[in-house]
Amino acid sequence: MTPRRTLELVLAVYTFLYVVFGLVVLFGETHVYALLDAQQALLGLGHPSGGAPPVALWKYVALGLILVLALFSLWSWRDVERGRPLLHLMIYAKFFSGALMVGHFVLAGGQTAFLLGGLSDLAMGAGVWLPLVRVFPSTNRDLLSLRMP
């Protein structure tokens, strides 16, 4: 499989995953927290999340960002060349959110949800970054210099 085809496949999967996760956040938030607490019990690391927050504001902020990432994936999947700047933004977003969540787990709270969320965001960012570098070798230089391609 060519590097471009691999990237397109990753983006197709990401489009699907972000839409599904958006629906889960919208309609199954309590189940998400129950799943995170079950993972905490399984790992024996950190402490439970304590359930969904009482105010839905952050739920809708997160949902909006998840759906924007779904659009980034969809548009980039349809046209990798033109979608490349969107993929850079996605990598930055996944790196920053992942690092912040893992940092919060380590420094401020120990809620397992932050560790799992941070590690999954870092993995999702790497899942785009690695095939993107194979298609566009200047990606690392562009990302480090904060230049848009």
Side-chain angles (χ1 to χ4, degrees), residues 6-89:
T6 301
L7 179 59
E8 290 169 346
L9 181 61
V10 166
L11 294 171
V13 169
Y14 275 30
T15 300
F16 174 78
L17 289 176
Y18 281 125
V19 169
V20 168
F21 190 59
L23 292 171
V24 168
V25 168
L26 184 61
F27 297 113
E29 183 178 19
T30 56
H31 298 294
V32 171
Y33 283 95
L35 178 63
L36 289 170
D37 287 347
Q39 295 300 316
Q40 180 276 328
L42 179 70
L43 295 172
L45 186 64
H47 52 71
S49 64
V55 179
L57 170 71
W58 296 111
K59 172 182 174 177
Y60 296 113
V61 170
L63 182 59
L65 295 173
I66 290 167
L67 295 176
V68 165
L69 290 172
L71 286 173
F72 282 9
S73 297
L74 176 67
W75 292 333
S76 300
W77 170 31
R78 289 184 173 171
D79 188 341
V80 172
E81 200 66 48
R82 289 180 54 204
R84 188 173 170 209
L86 300 175
L87 297 178
H88 282 217
L89 293 173

